[in-house]
Amino acid sequence: MVKEHWEKEPCESRAGGSLDNETLYFKKIDNYRYEKAPYINGFAKFEEGNGKRVLEVGLGSCSDFIKWARNGANLWGIDLTQASINMAKKRLNLEKLHATVKIGDVEVLDFEDNFFDIVYSYGVVHHTPDTSRAIRELYRVLKPGGIARVMIYHKGGLSWIYEWILFGLLKGHPWKSRREIVFYNNESFGTKIYTKVEAKELFKEFRKINLFTVVSASDVMDIQLSEKYQKVWLFSNLQRCMSFLKYLRPFISSSFGSYMLIEAEK
Ligand SMILES: C[S@@+](CC[C@H](N)C(=O)[O-])C[C@H]1O[C@@H](n2cnc3c(N)ncnc32)[C@H](O)[C@@H]1O
């Protein structure tokens, strides 16, 4: 079910508009991504990939992936979907860059132990059924001293409250928890959200872990809704009414952020 969902529309690809001009299409996707999430560059530290073995898991529209490639990483990328793999190949071709890309599942990585210097996975492992297994796999393929940079959803985020209002409260199920609402309604089926304590437990094998939360564009409803949410009449109207929220973004405490950025050393 996860695969079917992302196969239909790779993450953020709707920002690209028409595919007539591929270079422009990808540029629009990238502009959208880094305008909405400017903190990604500081978190991923793409320049550190230069000359290192880097694996990205869960490529979406490949905006981050192409940055690893531009920065001279010795690069591998896997995704569950053919759609993302095709995009990665197209983008590499357009820029005459090289990387190895293939379909793969983060829960069973097809790489030997202690192979990579950096593994990067942004907004992916909370979608896979066995998230702890996925993180054990990321750990396994990292060299000792290697770094994992992973974004997972944070339970305390505002986005989940909006989802609870729409899919719980207004549908007459106020007793349903945010976890349950997100599991059944967010993006692909089975999506999970984590507290900081739970995230530390997931990464417990790692020697060092540094974790912080950020207020995302979805926390202030400043996103282009996917087809799935556009169909929910209430969601698009709520978004319209709350459009002022984006101006408050700099003032909202990061504890209300839905994204948890984790850097962990093996
Ligand atoms: C929310 S998108 C994030 C994509 C990209 N990292 C980004 O930030 O835009 C999730 C991506 O992870 C991929 N994915 C989901 N489960 C996966 C799994 N078990 N193994 C590999 N990729 C997976 C999906 O196909 C999709 O491309």
Side-chain angles (χ1 to χ4, degrees):
M1 265 185 280
V2 178
K3 177 171 157 59
E4 283 76 48
H5 176 86
W6 297 109
E7 209 54 279
K8 267 189 238 144
E9 189 187 49
C11 223
E12 291 172 353
S13 57
R14 74 198 84 109
S18 152
L19 243 171
D20 294 345
N21 178 333
E22 285 181 336
T23 307
L24 187 62
Y25 172 77
F26 289 123
K27 196 164 189 261
K28 281 189 186 165
I29 293 176
D30 294 351
N31 288 347
Y32 175 84
R33 179 175 185 79
Y34 302 112
E35 184 204 311
K36 303 291 179 195
Y39 49 80
I40 287 181
N41 289 301
F43 170 61
K45 304 190 185 91
F46 298 107
E47 66 289 350
E48 277 186 12
N50 189 279
K52 304 248 174 74
R53 277 190 194 158
V54 176
L55 169 68
E56 179 168 346
V57 173
L59 309 178
S61 297
C62 310
S63 302
D64 294 349
F65 189 66
I66 204 73
K67 284 201 170 210
W68 289 114
R70 285 180 195 144
N71 276 279
N74 190 5
L75 184 61
W76 281 258
I78 68 149
D79 196 283
L80 213 48
T81 66
Q82 190 63 53
S84 278
I85 296 305
N86 291 347
M87 260 196 180
K89 288 184 175 161
K90 215 171 259 181
R91 295 191 76 152
L92 289 164
N93 260 339
L94 279 173
E95 300 199 25
K96 311 227 172 326
L97 292 166
H98 177 75
T100 307
V101 285
K102 55 184 180 183
I103 288 191
D105 184 345
V106 64
E107 292 190 28
V108 277
L109 288 175
D110 186 15
F111 299 102
E112 57 193 73
D113 299 356
N114 308 320
F115 189 72
F116 292 103
D117 299 292
I118 298 172
V119 295
Y120 176 76
S121 189
Y122 191 94
V124 179
V125 294
H126 45 229
H127 293 303
T128 199
D130 191 342
T131 301
S132 359
R133 184 173 173 189
I135 291 162
R136 285 199 303 276
E137 277 295 85
L138 296 180
Y139 179 88
R140 180 183 67 74
V141 301
L142 263 181
K143 290 178 186 168
I147 301 286
R149 297 199 179 105
V150 177
M151 185 280 270
I152 59 174
Y153 288 154
H154 173 229
K155 181 172 177 269
L158 292 174
S159 307
W160 322 126
I161 298 177
Y162 309 142
E163 290 205 4
W164 176 80
I165 293 173
L166 288 165
F167 297 107
L169 187 66
L170 296 177
K171 286 204 165 177
H173 312 297
W175 58 87
K176 287 193 178 169
S177 67
R178 275 170 291 165
R179 278 192 207 278
E180 192 180 351
I181 296 289
V182 171
F183 193 90
Y184 289 102
N185 298 284
N186 182 273
E187 297 165 329
S188 53
F189 176 85
T191 303
K192 287 154 279 162
I193 51 180
Y194 295 93
T195 63
K196 284 187 178 176
V197 172
E198 289 162 345
K200 283 184 184 154
E201 179 62 22
L202 282 173
F203 283 81
K204 64 174 183 238
E205 275 189 277
F206 287 80
R207 216 157 57 88
K208 274 193 219 154
I209 161 165
N210 184 16
L211 147 176
F212 56 100
T213 53
V214 287
V215 176
S216 69
S218 53
D219 289 316
V220 291
M221 296 203 172
D222 185 21
I223 49 165
Q224 233 175 301
L225 293 178
S226 67
E227 213 182 304
K228 177 172 172 179
Y229 292 101
Q230 279 167 15
K231 279 189 211 144
V232 184
W233 178 85
L234 264 170
F235 212 128
S236 37
N237 276 288
L238 183 69
Q239 190 187 35
R240 215 163 296 134
C241 298
M242 305 284 272
S243 57
F244 66 91
L245 261 182
K246 63 171 175 262
Y247 302 108
L248 302 181
R249 189 170 171 185
F251 309 106
I252 299 174
S253 158
S254 61
S255 4
F256 297 114
S258 296
Y259 290 4
M260 186 148 39
L261 305 180
I262 300 166
E263 184 176 80
E265 183 181 328
K266 179 169 175 179

